[in-house]
Amino acid sequence: MSAGGATAVWRAALAAGALITPMALAAQAPKSQHATVTQLVGTTQITIVYNRPSARGRTLFGRGGVVPWGKVWCPGADTATTIALSRNMVVGGQPLAAGKYSIWAIPDPDEWTLIFSRAADVFHIPYPGEAHDALRLKVKPQAETGPFMESLAFYFPAADTGRALLNLHWGETIVQVPLAAK
């Protein structure tokens, strides 16, 4: 084969690879995208690591929804959502020691139970059980519906040197938890 012919074959192989690689990567991309949010509250660092499931036109909560009322649910996908606290904090008015926890919820229309489990690095199903619970607290979903959030999100709409608000938001449902430095 001549040098020109080898160059043409090489260019053709590169062009084919350039087309195949993006298609192969797209086929491997997870439906639930990975996310991390970090917030400082005073000198305490809070880091939430999770995967963001999307609504994709589905009913999210309640009868016939992705998340039924009254059942333990991990707000996230694939691996359990985790929260790491660099120092002791007050979460929803209750103390929670520094450390890493998985987050679970039992949603109901009028009140949710949020669970912080010591079993941090686990799959998002099944729930590790009450024996691993570090904290359970009751919170009310916000009365007004929020703007529609296609992909599950955790975020801090307000924070200062001593306290912050943490929102769990999916679809039009927002559950807010106050956090305070201890």
Side-chain angles (χ1 to χ4, degrees):
M1 182 179 295
S2 69
T7 301
V9 169
W10 179 247
R11 284 185 182 156
L14 282 175
L19 292 174
I20 293 170
T21 301
M23 289 187 298
L25 289 175
Q28 295 173 0
K31 288 184 179 179
S32 300
Q33 295 298 302
H34 185 74
T36 301
V37 62
T38 299
Q39 179 68 53
L40 280 177
V41 176
T43 58
T44 303
Q45 180 173 308
I46 304 162
T47 302
I48 300 169
V49 178
Y50 64 110
N51 292 319
R52 302 182 68 195
S54 295
R56 297 190 306 272
R58 302 175 292 179
T59 299
L60 297 178
F61 298 102
R63 187 174 201 172
V66 175
V67 181
W69 298 130
K71 303 284 184 188
V72 177
W73 167 62
C74 180
D78 305 322
T79 58
T81 296
T82 60
I83 184 168
L85 310 174
S86 65
R87 295 175 182 252
N88 297 344
M89 294 204 74
V90 176
V91 177
Q94 298 181 46
L96 186 60
K100 184 177 179 184
Y101 305 92
S102 57
I103 301 175
W104 304 81
I106 304 172
D108 274 308
D110 300 320
E111 185 175 69
W112 284 39
T113 301
L114 290 183
I115 305 164
F116 296 82
S117 173
R118 289 181 198 89
D121 295 313
V122 296
F123 195 62
H124 77 284
I125 53 173
Y127 164 59
E130 290 184 32
H132 296 281
D133 291 359
L135 175 64
R136 278 183 174 236
L137 58 105
K138 302 283 188 180
V139 293
K140 299 213 179 281
Q142 290 188 353
E144 313 83 43
T145 57
F148 187 81
M149 182 72 70
E150 172 66 21
S151 296
L152 174 79
F154 286 90
Y155 58 92
F156 295 89
D160 62 28
T161 59
R163 59 185 155 243
L165 295 174
L166 170 61
N167 281 5
L168 178 163
H169 188 168
W170 197 23
E172 295 177 337
T173 301
I174 300 173
V175 176
Q176 190 169 84
V177 180
L179 307 171
K182 192 168 181 186

Coordinates of all heavy atoms in Angstrom, one line a residue, residues 93-172:
G93 N -34.3 20.8 64.2 CA -34.5 21.0 65.6 C -33.9 19.9 66.4 O -34.0 19.9 67.7
Q94 N -33.3 18.9 65.8 CA -32.7 17.8 66.5 C -31.2 17.6 66.3 O -30.8 17.9 65.1 CB -33.4 16.5 66.1 CG -34.9 16.5 66.5 CD -35.6 15.1 66.1 OE1 -35.1 14.1 66.4 NE2 -36.7 15.2 65.4
P95 N -30.5 17.2 67.3 CA -29.0 17.1 67.1 C -28.7 15.9 66.1 O -29.3 14.9 66.2 CB -28.5 16.8 68.5 CG -29.6 16.3 69.2 CD -30.9 16.8 68.6
L96 N -27.7 16.2 65.3 CA -27.1 15.1 64.4 C -25.6 15.3 64.4 O -25.1 16.3 64.1 CB -27.7 15.2 63.0 CG -27.3 14.1 62.0 CD1 -27.8 12.7 62.5 CD2 -27.8 14.4 60.6
A97 N -24.9 14.2 64.8 CA -23.5 14.2 64.9 C -22.8 14.3 63.6 O -23.3 13.9 62.6 CB -23.0 12.9 65.7
A98 N -21.6 14.9 63.6 CA -20.8 14.9 62.4 C -20.6 13.5 61.8 O -20.6 12.6 62.6 CB -19.4 15.5 62.7
G99 N -20.6 13.4 60.5 CA -20.5 12.1 59.9 C -21.2 12.1 58.6 O -21.7 13.1 58.1
K100 N -21.2 10.9 58.0 CA -21.9 10.7 56.7 C -23.1 9.7 56.9 O -23.0 8.7 57.5 CB -20.9 10.0 55.7 CG -21.3 9.8 54.3 CD -20.2 9.3 53.5 CE -20.6 9.0 52.0 NZ -19.5 8.4 51.3
Y101 N -24.2 10.1 56.3 CA -25.4 9.4 56.4 C -26.1 9.3 55.1 O -25.9 10.1 54.2 CB -26.4 10.2 57.3 CG -25.9 10.5 58.7 CD1 -25.2 11.7 58.9 CD2 -26.0 9.6 59.7 CE1 -24.7 12.0 60.1 CE2 -25.4 9.9 61.0 CZ -24.8 11.1 61.2 OH -24.3 11.4 62.4
S102 N -26.9 8.2 54.9 CA -27.8 8.1 53.7 C -29.1 8.8 54.1 O -29.5 8.8 55.3 CB -28.0 6.7 53.2 OG -28.5 5.8 54.3
I103 N -29.8 9.3 53.1 CA -31.1 10.0 53.3 C -32.2 9.2 52.8 O -32.1 8.7 51.6 CB -31.1 11.4 52.7 CG1 -29.9 12.3 53.2 CG2 -32.4 12.1 52.9 CD1 -29.8 13.6 52.6
W104 N -33.2 9.0 53.6 CA -34.4 8.2 53.2 C -35.6 9.1 53.6 O -35.5 10.0 54.4 CB -34.4 6.9 53.9 CG -33.2 6.1 53.6 CD1 -32.0 6.2 54.3 CD2 -33.0 5.1 52.7 NE1 -31.1 5.4 53.7 CE2 -31.7 4.7 52.7 CE3 -33.8 4.5 51.7 CZ2 -31.1 3.7 51.9 CZ3 -33.3 3.6 50.9 CH2 -32.0 3.1 51.0
A105 N -36.8 8.8 53.0 CA -38.0 9.5 53.3 C -39.2 8.6 53.2 O -39.2 7.6 52.5 CB -38.2 10.7 52.3
I106 N -40.2 9.0 54.0 CA -41.5 8.3 54.0 C -42.5 9.5 53.6 O -42.9 10.2 54.5 CB -41.9 7.6 55.3 CG1 -40.8 6.6 55.6 CG2 -43.3 6.9 55.1 CD1 -41.0 6.0 57.0
P107 N -42.8 9.6 52.4 CA -43.7 10.7 52.0 C -45.1 10.4 52.3 O -45.6 9.3 52.1 CB -43.4 10.9 50.5 CG -42.8 9.7 50.0 CD -42.2 9.0 51.2
D108 N -45.9 11.4 52.7 CA -47.3 11.4 52.8 C -47.8 12.8 52.3 O -47.0 13.8 52.3 CB -47.8 11.1 54.2 CG -47.8 9.6 54.5 OD1 -48.5 8.9 53.7 OD2 -47.3 9.1 55.4
P109 N -49.0 12.9 52.0 CA -49.5 14.2 51.4 C -49.3 15.4 52.4 O -48.9 16.5 52.0 CB -51.0 14.0 51.2 CG -51.2 12.5 51.1 CD -50.1 11.9 51.9
D110 N -49.5 15.2 53.7 CA -49.4 16.3 54.7 C -48.2 16.3 55.5 O -47.9 17.3 56.1 CB -50.7 16.2 55.6 CG -52.0 16.3 54.8 OD1 -52.0 17.1 53.9 OD2 -52.9 15.5 55.2
E111 N -47.4 15.2 55.6 CA -46.2 15.2 56.4 C -45.3 14.1 55.9 O -45.7 13.0 55.6 CB -46.6 14.9 57.9 CG -45.5 14.9 58.8 CD -46.0 14.8 60.3 OE1 -46.4 13.6 60.6 OE2 -45.9 15.7 61.0
W112 N -44.0 14.4 55.9 CA -43.0 13.5 55.5 C -42.1 13.1 56.7 O -41.9 14.0 57.6 CB -42.1 14.1 54.4 CG -42.6 14.2 53.1 CD1 -43.9 14.5 52.7 CD2 -41.9 14.0 51.9 NE1 -44.0 14.6 51.4 CE2 -42.8 14.2 50.8 CE3 -40.6 13.7 51.6 CZ2 -42.4 14.1 49.5 CZ3 -40.2 13.6 50.2 CH2 -41.1 13.8 49.2
T113 N -41.6 11.9 56.7 CA -40.6 11.5 57.7 C -39.3 11.5 56.9 O -39.2 10.7 55.9 CB -40.9 10.1 58.3 OG1 -42.2 10.2 58.9 CG2 -39.9 9.7 59.3
L114 N -38.3 12.2 57.4 CA -37.0 12.1 56.8 C -36.1 11.3 57.7 O -36.2 11.5 59.0 CB -36.4 13.5 56.6 CG -37.0 14.4 55.6 CD1 -36.2 15.7 55.5 CD2 -37.0 13.7 54.2
I115 N -35.3 10.4 57.1 CA -34.5 9.5 57.9 C -33.0 9.7 57.5 O -32.7 9.7 56.3 CB -34.9 8.0 57.6 CG1 -36.4 7.8 57.9 CG2 -34.0 7.1 58.4 CD1 -37.0 6.6 57.3
F116 N -32.2 9.9 58.5 CA -30.7 9.9 58.3 C -30.2 8.6 58.8 O -30.2 8.4 60.0 CB -30.1 11.2 59.0 CG -30.7 12.4 58.4 CD1 -31.9 12.9 58.8 CD2 -29.9 13.1 57.5 CE1 -32.4 14.1 58.3 CE2 -30.4 14.3 56.9 CZ -31.7 14.8 57.3
S117 N -29.7 7.8 57.9 CA -29.2 6.4 58.3 C -27.7 6.4 58.4 O -27.0 6.9 57.5 CB -29.7 5.4 57.3 OG -29.1 4.2 57.5
R118 N -27.2 5.7 59.4 CA -25.7 5.5 59.5 C -25.2 4.6 58.4 O -24.0 4.6 58.2 CB -25.4 4.9 60.9 CG -25.6 5.9 62.0 CD -25.2 5.2 63.4 NE -25.8 6.0 64.5 CZ -27.0 5.8 65.0 NH1 -27.8 4.8 64.5 NH2 -27.4 6.5 66.0
A119 N -26.0 3.8 57.8 CA -25.6 3.0 56.6 C -25.5 3.9 55.4 O -26.5 4.1 54.7 CB -26.6 1.9 56.4
A120 N -24.3 4.5 55.3 CA -24.2 5.6 54.3 C -23.9 5.1 52.9 O -24.6 5.5 51.9 CB -23.1 6.5 54.7
D121 N -23.0 4.2 52.7 CA -22.6 3.8 51.3 C -23.3 2.5 50.9 O -22.8 1.4 50.9 CB -21.1 3.6 51.3 CG -20.4 5.0 51.5 OD1 -20.8 6.0 50.9 OD2 -19.4 5.0 52.3
V122 N -24.6 2.7 50.6 CA -25.5 1.6 50.2 C -26.2 1.9 48.9 O -26.3 3.0 48.5 CB -26.5 1.3 51.4 CG1 -25.8 0.8 52.6 CG2 -27.4 2.4 51.7
F123 N -26.8 0.8 48.4 CA -27.6 1.0 47.2 C -28.9 1.7 47.6 O -29.3 1.7 48.8 CB -27.9 -0.4 46.6 CG -28.4 -0.4 45.2 CD1 -27.7 0.2 44.1 CD2 -29.7 -0.9 44.9 CE1 -28.2 0.2 42.8 CE2 -30.2 -0.9 43.6 CZ -29.4 -0.3 42.6
H124 N -29.7 2.2 46.6 CA -30.9 3.0 47.0 C -32.1 2.1 47.3 O -33.1 2.7 47.8 CB -31.2 4.0 45.9 CG -31.9 3.4 44.7 ND1 -31.2 2.7 43.7 CD2 -33.2 3.4 44.3 CE1 -32.0 2.3 42.8 NE2 -33.2 2.7 43.1
I125 N -32.0 0.8 47.2 CA -33.0 -0.1 47.7 C -32.2 -1.3 48.2 O -31.2 -1.7 47.6 CB -34.0 -0.5 46.7 CG1 -33.4 -1.0 45.4 CG2 -35.0 0.6 46.4 CD1 -34.3 -1.5 44.4
P126 N -32.6 -2.0 49.2 CA -33.7 -1.7 50.1 C -33.2 -0.7 51.2 O -32.0 -0.6 51.4 CB -34.0 -3.1 50.7 CG -32.7 -3.8 50.8 CD -32.0 -3.3 49.5
Y127 N -34.1 -0.2 51.9 CA -33.8 0.7 53.1 C -33.1 -0.2 54.1 O -33.5 -1.3 54.4 CB -35.1 1.2 53.7 CG -35.1 1.7 55.1 CD1 -34.3 2.8 55.4 CD2 -35.9 1.2 56.0 CE1 -34.3 3.3 56.7 CE2 -35.9 1.7 57.3 CZ -35.1 2.7 57.6 OH -35.1 3.2 58.9
P128 N -31.9 0.3 54.7 CA -31.1 -0.5 55.6 C -31.8 -0.9 56.9 O -31.3 -1.8 57.6 CB -29.9 0.3 55.9 CG -30.0 1.5 54.9 CD -31.4 1.6 54.4
G129 N -32.9 -0.3 57.3 CA -33.6 -0.6 58.5 C -33.4 0.4 59.6 O -32.4 1.1 59.7
E130 N -34.4 0.4 60.5 CA -34.4 1.3 61.6 C -33.2 1.2 62.6 O -32.8 2.1 63.2 CB -35.7 1.2 62.5 CG -36.9 1.7 61.7 CD -38.2 1.6 62.5 OE1 -38.1 1.8 63.8 OE2 -39.3 1.4 61.9
A131 N -32.6 0.0 62.6 CA -31.5 -0.2 63.5 C -30.3 0.7 63.1 O -29.5 1.0 64.0 CB -31.0 -1.7 63.5
H132 N -30.3 1.2 61.9 CA -29.2 2.1 61.4 C -29.6 3.5 61.5 O -28.7 4.4 61.2 CB -28.8 1.7 60.0 CG -28.3 0.3 59.8 ND1 -27.0 0.0 60.2 CD2 -28.8 -0.8 59.4 CE1 -26.8 -1.3 59.9 NE2 -27.9 -1.8 59.5
D133 N -30.8 3.9 61.9 CA -31.2 5.3 61.9 C -30.5 6.1 62.9 O -30.4 5.7 64.1 CB -32.7 5.4 62.2 CG -33.6 4.8 61.2 OD1 -33.1 4.4 60.1 OD2 -34.9 4.9 61.4
A134 N -29.9 7.2 62.5 CA -29.3 8.2 63.4 C -30.3 9.2 63.8 O -30.3 9.8 64.9 CB -28.1 8.8 62.8
L135 N -31.3 9.5 62.9 CA -32.3 10.6 63.2 C -33.5 10.4 62.3 O -33.3 10.0 61.1 CB -31.6 12.0 62.8 CG -32.6 13.2 62.9 CD1 -33.1 13.4 64.4 CD2 -31.8 14.4 62.4
R136 N -34.6 10.6 62.9 CA -35.9 10.6 62.1 C -36.6 11.9 62.5 O -36.6 12.2 63.7 CB -36.8 9.5 62.5 CG -36.5 8.2 61.8 CD -37.5 7.1 62.2 NE -37.3 5.9 61.4 CZ -38.2 5.3 60.6 NH1 -39.4 5.8 60.5 NH2 -37.9 4.3 59.9
L137 N -37.1 12.6 61.5 CA -37.8 13.9 61.8 C -39.0 14.0 60.9 O -39.0 13.5 59.8 CB -36.9 15.1 61.8 CG -36.1 15.4 60.5 CD1 -36.7 16.6 59.9 CD2 -34.7 15.7 60.9
K138 N -40.0 14.7 61.4 CA -41.2 15.0 60.6 C -41.1 16.4 60.0 O -40.7 17.3 60.7 CB -42.4 14.9 61.5 CG -42.6 13.6 62.3 CD -43.2 12.5 61.3 CE -43.5 11.3 62.1 NZ -44.1 10.2 61.2
V139 N -41.4 16.5 58.8 CA -41.4 17.8 58.1 C -42.7 17.8 57.2 O -43.2 16.8 56.8 CB -40.2 18.0 57.2 CG1 -38.9 18.1 58.1 CG2 -40.0 16.9 56.2
K140 N -43.1 19.0 57.0 CA -44.3 19.2 56.2 C -43.9 19.7 54.8 O -43.0 20.6 54.7 CB -45.3 20.3 56.8 CG -45.8 19.8 58.2 CD -47.1 20.3 58.5 CE -47.6 19.8 59.8 NZ -48.1 18.5 59.8
P141 N -44.4 19.1 53.8 CA -44.1 19.7 52.5 C -44.7 21.1 52.4 O -45.7 21.4 53.1 CB -44.8 18.7 51.5 CG -45.8 18.0 52.3 CD -45.4 18.0 53.7
Q142 N -44.1 21.9 51.6 CA -44.5 23.3 51.5 C -46.0 23.3 51.0 O -46.3 22.6 50.1 CB -43.6 24.1 50.6 CG -42.3 24.4 51.3 CD -41.4 25.4 50.5 OE1 -41.7 25.8 49.4 NE2 -40.3 25.7 51.1
A143 N -46.8 24.2 51.6 CA -48.2 24.2 51.2 C -48.5 24.6 49.8 O -49.3 24.0 49.1 CB -48.9 25.2 52.2
E144 N -47.8 25.6 49.3 CA -47.9 26.0 47.9 C -47.1 25.1 47.0 O -46.0 24.6 47.5 CB -47.4 27.4 47.6 CG -47.9 28.5 48.6 CD -47.1 28.5 49.8 OE1 -45.8 28.5 49.8 OE2 -47.7 28.7 50.9
T145 N -47.5 24.8 45.9 CA -46.7 24.0 45.0 C -45.6 24.9 44.4 O -45.8 26.0 44.2 CB -47.5 23.4 43.8 OG1 -48.1 24.4 43.1 CG2 -48.5 22.4 44.3
G146 N -44.4 24.3 44.3 CA -43.3 25.1 43.8 C -43.2 25.0 42.3 O -44.0 24.3 41.6
P147 N -42.3 25.7 41.7 CA -42.1 25.6 40.2 C -41.7 24.2 39.9 O -41.1 23.5 40.7 CB -41.0 26.6 39.9 CG -40.2 26.7 41.2 CD -41.3 26.5 42.3
F148 N -42.1 23.7 38.7 CA -41.8 22.3 38.4 C -40.3 22.1 38.2 O -39.6 22.8 37.5 CB -42.6 21.9 37.1 CG -42.5 20.5 36.8 CD1 -43.3 19.6 37.4 CD2 -41.5 20.0 35.9 CE1 -43.2 18.2 37.1 CE2 -41.4 18.6 35.6 CZ -42.3 17.8 36.2
M149 N -39.8 21.0 38.9 CA -38.4 20.6 38.8 C -38.4 19.3 38.2 O -38.8 18.3 38.8 CB -37.8 20.6 40.2 CG -36.4 20.2 40.3 SD -35.2 21.5 39.7 CE -35.4 22.7 41.0
E150 N -37.9 19.2 36.9 CA -37.9 18.0 36.1 C -37.1 16.9 36.8 O -37.5 15.7 36.9 CB -37.4 18.2 34.7 CG -37.2 17.0 33.9 CD -38.4 16.2 33.5 OE1 -39.5 16.7 33.6 OE2 -38.3 15.0 33.2
S151 N -35.9 17.3 37.2 CA -35.0 16.3 37.9 C -34.8 16.6 39.4 O -34.8 17.8 39.7 CB -33.6 16.4 37.2 OG -33.6 16.0 35.9
L152 N -34.9 15.6 40.2 CA -34.8 15.7 41.6 C -33.6 16.6 42.0 O -32.5 16.5 41.4 CB -34.5 14.4 42.3 CG -34.3 14.4 43.8 CD1 -35.6 14.6 44.6 CD2 -33.6 13.1 44.2
A153 N -33.8 17.6 42.9 CA -32.7 18.5 43.3 C -32.7 18.7 44.8 O -33.7 18.8 45.4 CB -32.8 19.8 42.6
F154 N -31.5 18.7 45.3 CA -31.2 19.2 46.7 C -30.5 20.5 46.5 O -29.6 20.6 45.7 CB -30.3 18.2 47.5 CG -31.0 17.0 47.9 CD1 -31.0 15.9 47.1 CD2 -31.6 16.9 49.1 CE1 -31.6 14.7 47.5 CE2 -32.2 15.7 49.5 CZ -32.2 14.6 48.7
Y155 N -31.0 21.6 47.3 CA -30.3 22.9 47.2 C -30.6 23.7 48.5 O -31.4 23.3 49.2 CB -30.7 23.6 45.9 CG -32.2 23.9 45.8 CD1 -32.8 25.1 46.3 CD2 -33.0 23.0 45.2 CE1 -34.1 25.3 46.2 CE2 -34.4 23.2 45.1 CZ -34.9 24.4 45.6 OH -36.3 24.6 45.5
F156 N -29.8 24.7 48.6 CA -29.9 25.6 49.8 C -30.4 26.9 49.4 O -29.6 27.7 48.8 CB -28.5 25.7 50.5 CG -28.0 24.4 51.0 CD1 -27.2 23.6 50.2 CD2 -28.2 24.1 52.3 CE1 -26.7 22.4 50.7 CE2 -27.7 22.9 52.8 CZ -27.0 22.0 52.0
P157 N -31.7 27.2 49.5 CA -32.2 28.5 49.1 C -31.8 29.7 50.0 O -31.8 30.8 49.6 CB -33.7 28.3 49.1 CG -33.9 27.3 50.1 CD -32.7 26.4 50.0
A158 N -31.3 29.4 51.2 CA -30.9 30.4 52.1 C -29.8 29.8 53.0 O -29.9 28.7 53.5 CB -32.0 30.9 53.0
A159 N -28.8 30.6 53.3 CA -27.7 30.1 54.2 C -27.0 31.4 54.7 O -26.8 32.4 54.0 CB -26.7 29.2 53.5
D160 N -26.5 31.3 56.0 CA -25.7 32.3 56.6 C -24.7 31.7 57.5 O -24.5 30.5 57.4 CB -26.5 33.4 57.2 CG -27.3 33.0 58.4 OD1 -26.9 32.0 59.1 OD2 -28.3 33.6 58.7
T161 N -24.1 32.4 58.4 CA -23.0 31.9 59.2 C -23.5 30.9 60.3 O -22.7 30.1 60.8 CB -22.2 33.0 59.9 OG1 -23.1 33.8 60.7 CG2 -21.5 33.9 58.9
G162 N -24.8 30.9 60.6 CA -25.2 30.0 61.6 C -26.3 29.0 61.3 O -26.5 28.0 62.0
R163 N -26.9 29.2 60.1 CA -28.0 28.3 59.7 C -28.3 28.3 58.2 O -27.8 29.2 57.5 CB -29.3 28.7 60.5 CG -29.8 30.0 60.2 CD -31.0 30.4 61.1 NE -31.1 31.8 61.3 CZ -30.9 32.4 62.4 NH1 -30.8 31.7 63.5 NH2 -31.0 33.7 62.5
A164 N -29.0 27.3 57.8 CA -29.3 27.2 56.3 C -30.7 26.5 56.2 O -31.1 25.8 57.1 CB -28.2 26.5 55.6
L165 N -31.2 26.6 55.1 CA -32.4 25.8 54.7 C -32.0 24.9 53.6 O -31.4 25.3 52.6 CB -33.5 26.7 54.2 CG -34.1 27.7 55.2 CD1 -35.1 28.6 54.6 CD2 -34.8 26.9 56.4
L166 N -32.4 23.6 53.7 CA -32.1 22.6 52.7 C -33.4 22.2 52.1 O -34.4 21.8 52.8 CB -31.4 21.4 53.3 CG -31.3 20.1 52.5 CD1 -30.4 20.4 51.2 CD2 -30.7 19.0 53.3
N167 N -33.5 22.3 50.8 CA -34.7 21.9 50.0 C -34.4 20.6 49.3 O -33.4 20.4 48.6 CB -35.1 22.9 49.0 CG -35.8 24.1 49.6 OD1 -36.0 24.2 50.8 ND2 -36.3 25.0 48.8
L168 N -35.4 19.7 49.4 CA -35.5 18.5 48.5 C -36.7 18.9 47.6 O -37.8 19.2 48.0 CB -35.9 17.3 49.3 CG -36.1 15.9 48.6 CD1 -36.0 14.8 49.6 CD2 -37.4 15.9 47.8
H169 N -36.5 18.9 46.3 CA -37.4 19.4 45.3 C -37.5 18.5 44.1 O -36.5 18.2 43.4 CB -37.0 20.8 44.9 CG -38.0 21.6 44.0 ND1 -37.8 22.9 43.8 CD2 -39.1 21.2 43.4 CE1 -38.8 23.4 43.0 NE2 -39.6 22.3 42.8
W170 N -38.7 18.0 43.9 CA -38.9 17.1 42.7 C -40.4 17.3 42.2 O -41.3 17.3 43.0 CB -38.7 15.7 43.0 CG -38.5 14.8 41.7 CD1 -38.1 15.2 40.5 CD2 -38.6 13.4 41.6 NE1 -38.0 14.2 39.6 CE2 -38.3 13.0 40.3 CE3 -39.0 12.4 42.5 CZ2 -38.4 11.7 39.8 CZ3 -39.1 11.1 42.1 CH2 -38.8 10.8 40.8
G171 N -40.5 17.6 40.9 CA -41.8 17.9 40.4 C -42.2 19.3 41.0 O -41.4 20.2 41.0
E172 N -43.4 19.3 41.6 CA -43.8 20.6 42.3 C -43.7 20.4 43.8 O -44.1 21.3 44.5 CB -45.3 20.9 41.9 CG -45.4 21.2 40.4 CD -46.9 21.5 40.0 OE1 -47.8 21.0 40.7 OE2 -47.0 22.2 39.0

